[in-house]
Amino acid sequence: MKIDTRHRGMEHLVNDIPGIDTTVPSSARITNYWLGGKDNYPIDREVGDAIARVHPDIVTMARHDRAFIGRSVRYLAGEAGVRQFLDIGTGLPTQDNTHEVAQRVAPDSRIVYVDNDPMVLAHARALLTSTPAGETAYIDADLRDPDAIIEKARETLDFSAPIAVMLIGILQHIVDDAEAESIVRRLIEPLPSGSHFVLVHDTADFHGQSVLDAMETFMAEGGLPICARDHAQMERLMDGLDLVDPGIVSTSRWRVGLDSPWGEAENVAQYSAVGRKP
C-alpha cells in the first residue's frame, strides 16, 4: 500500500521502525487520527472513517477519553496524593499525557508507560520526557502478561508506596471475561493499600447497536478482537475497590467540573471508573 505523504509525520517511521504493518489498522493510530494527529497510515484513516459512519459519536468519545485522562490524573496526583503511575496501553503521545499532567501537579511523580506497539514505543521514547525531579520509563510488554509488566515496572516504581494502574481503552481487546478479570486481579494484587485502579472501557449500554456495528467494522478490517461490556461487568472488574465518586459512569460525566476542555456532554459509549485499594 502506498503511504500518503501528505501526512508528513509518518514518512520517516515507515523505514525507521521495524515491526510496523502498514496494511493492518491500529487502535492507537486510529485514535490519533480521530484526535487530529498525523501519526497514522491510510488504513487507519480508512477504518476510522468507516467506524465513524456507523457510530458518528466516536470522535467525540475519543476527545472525552483524552479529557478523562487529564481529570483522573489530576485527581490522583492532587487530592489522592499518588506519585507513581503505571499506564498500560498508553497509545500514541498527544497533549496532556499522563506524565505531563502528573508532573505538573507533583514534579517528583514517576510514570511507567507500557505498550507493545513499536510505533507507540518509539514516539514515547522520543517525546515523553520527565521533569528532573521525576522519572519516566517505557516497557515493551503485552497486557496479557501482567506478571511480566509488574516485574519490569519494579525497576522504576516502589511497590511499597501507592501506585495508580491505568487501563485506558485497552481491556476491551481482551474479549474473554474470565481472562480480563484475571488480568485486573493480577495487576492489583501486588499493589499496596492506597493504590488506585483506573479503567476506561467501551460499552453498548448508551448507544446500542451502533457501537457493536462499529466494533464489527474494526474487526472485519483486520483490527484486534474487541468487545463492549455493560455496567454489571464493569462492577465485577472493579470488585474489591472503593469507587471514587461518581463511581462507574460515562466518560463524559466523570468529574467534568475539573476543567474538561469539552465540557459535559451526553453519555458517550465508554464507562470510566477510578477505584482505591483499601
Side-chain angles (χ1 to χ4, degrees):
M1 179 178 292
K2 183 179 179 181
I3 299 301
D4 185 349
T5 57
R6 291 173 297 175
H7 289 253
R8 306 299 297 181
M10 298 301 296
E11 284 183 276
H12 68 287
L13 296 175
V14 176
N15 297 319
D16 292 350
I17 302 177
I20 295 177
D21 188 345
T22 63
T23 67
V24 176
S26 156
S27 293
R29 299 194 309 259
I30 291 172
T31 300
N32 175 266
Y33 170 56
W34 286 332
L35 292 173
K38 295 182 179 180
D39 298 327
N40 46 76
Y41 293 108
I43 186 62
D44 304 307
R45 300 191 284 277
E46 292 167 11
V47 175
D49 289 341
I51 291 172
R53 283 193 291 272
V54 296
H55 183 45
D57 293 333
I58 193 70
V59 174
T60 298
M61 186 181 82
R63 291 174 175 175
H64 279 285
D65 178 284
R66 292 304 306 180
F68 168 80
I69 293 174
R71 296 197 303 276
S72 60
V73 173
R74 281 197 298 275
Y75 164 78
L76 291 165
E79 186 176 337
V82 176
R83 295 293 179 267
Q84 303 186 106
F85 297 80
L86 180 57
D87 186 341
I88 304 172
T90 180
L92 285 161
T94 182
Q95 292 182 340
D96 279 349
N97 301 287
T98 298
H99 78 288
E100 293 170 321
V101 178
Q103 292 180 347
R104 202 175 295 143
V105 177
D108 59 338
S109 295
R110 286 181 282 177
I111 295 86
V112 173
Y113 290 107
V114 182
D115 213 295
N116 64 351
D117 184 324
M119 179 178 292
V120 169
L121 291 168
H123 276 267
R125 292 188 177 104
L127 300 175
L128 304 184
T129 57
S130 175
T131 60
E135 187 171 355
T136 304
Y138 318 94
I139 295 174
D140 182 357
D142 194 301
L143 177 62
R144 292 176 177 82
D145 192 356
D147 299 328
I149 291 174
I150 295 296
E151 180 180 356
K152 292 179 182 179
R154 289 184 187 277
E155 298 174 9
T156 302
L157 304 179
D158 176 5
F159 275 70
S160 68
I163 297 169
V165 172
M166 304 175 63
L167 297 184
I168 309 294
I170 183 175
L171 195 62
Q172 57 247 32
H173 293 300
I174 308 297
V175 298
D176 180 82
D177 286 343
E179 183 181 9
E181 291 176 23
S182 173
I183 288 170
V184 170
R185 298 283 81 78
R186 288 157 68 190
L187 288 171
I188 293 174
E189 192 276 332
L191 303 179
S193 175
S195 294
H196 287 70
F197 177 59
V198 183
L199 179 61
V200 175
H201 198 297
D202 288 358
T203 185
D205 281 2
F206 304 122
H207 297 284
Q209 191 61 43
S210 67
V211 175
L212 303 179
D213 290 344
M215 290 179 170
E216 288 294 333
T217 298
F218 177 69
M219 291 188 288
E221 295 295 335
L224 293 172
I226 190 170
C227 70
R229 288 190 166 97
D230 60 23
H231 196 277
Q233 290 170 307
M234 287 287 292
E235 288 178 333
R236 288 196 292 274
L237 291 167
M238 302 298 292
D239 184 51
L241 301 172
D242 296 330
L243 289 176
V244 173
D245 186 67
I248 301 169
V249 296
S250 169
T251 301
S252 60
R253 297 188 181 277
W254 195 92
R255 296 196 165 209
V256 291
L258 298 181
D259 303 323
S260 168
W262 293 283
E264 185 168 351
E266 296 299 317
N267 291 326
V268 295
Q270 280 181 329
Y271 278 125
S272 290
V274 177
R276 181 185 184 276
K277 184 174 181 178

